[in-house]
Every structure is written in C-alpha cells, then in structure tokens.
C-alpha cells in the first residue's frame, strides 16, 4: 500500500442536485486546487459506487475521503 495519507480522495456524483453536479464539477475541482488541497478524484456513473470507491480509497492509504 502506498502512502497517500497526505492526499484527499474526492468522490463526485454528477447526478446530484438534479444533475447540477456535473455542470459544477469543473468549478469544484478549481476551488479545491485554489485552496492547495492535494487530491485525486473520481466521478460516479451509477448508484451505489460511492461506498466501493470510499472503501478502495481507504485501502489504498488515503487519509481523507470527501463525497
């Protein structure tokens, strides 16, 4: 397992808020970058993926999960 404890893992749901999530994704990514957050991200494609992505991120060594 690599040490990713200093990075956040961000899970985006593009269908959130009536589909507005996908339109806002570029803005959210820019805000995180502007704040200097070191992160990797993934975008869900169907319901139920969030839990699997979070579990995989924890197993990969991420110290922070944001969904």
């Amino acid at each position: 397992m690599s040490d990713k404890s200093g990075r956040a893992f961000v899970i985006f749901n593009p269908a959130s808020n009536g589909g507005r999530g996908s339109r806002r994704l570029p803005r959210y990514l820019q805000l995180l970058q502007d704040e200097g957050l070191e992160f990797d991200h993934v975008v869900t494609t169907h319901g139920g993926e969030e839990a699997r992505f979070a579990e995989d991120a924890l197993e990969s060594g991420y110290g922070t999960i944001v969904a």
Side-chain angles (χ1 to χ4, degrees), residues 16-62:
S16 67
N17 202 8
R20 291 185 195 111
S22 70
R23 291 192 309 270
R24 293 180 176 167
L25 179 59
R27 176 72 177 136
Y28 294 151
L29 290 172
Q30 188 62 55
L31 287 169
L32 293 171
Q33 290 172 353
D34 289 350
E35 290 299 316
L37 181 67
E38 293 186 28
F39 69 96
D40 296 308
H41 75 280
V42 67
V43 178
T44 61
T45 58
H46 59 275
E49 284 185 308
E50 297 88 348
R52 182 177 53 82
F53 285 141
E55 288 174 10
D56 290 348
L58 288 171
E59 288 176 7
S60 295
Y62 287 91

Side-chain angles (χ1 to χ4, degrees), residues 8-13 16 42 44 50-51 53-54 64-67:
F9 189 82
V10 184
I11 304 168
F12 290 102
N13 177 352
S16 67
V42 67
T44 61
E50 297 88 348
F53 285 141
T64 302
I65 310 293
V66 179

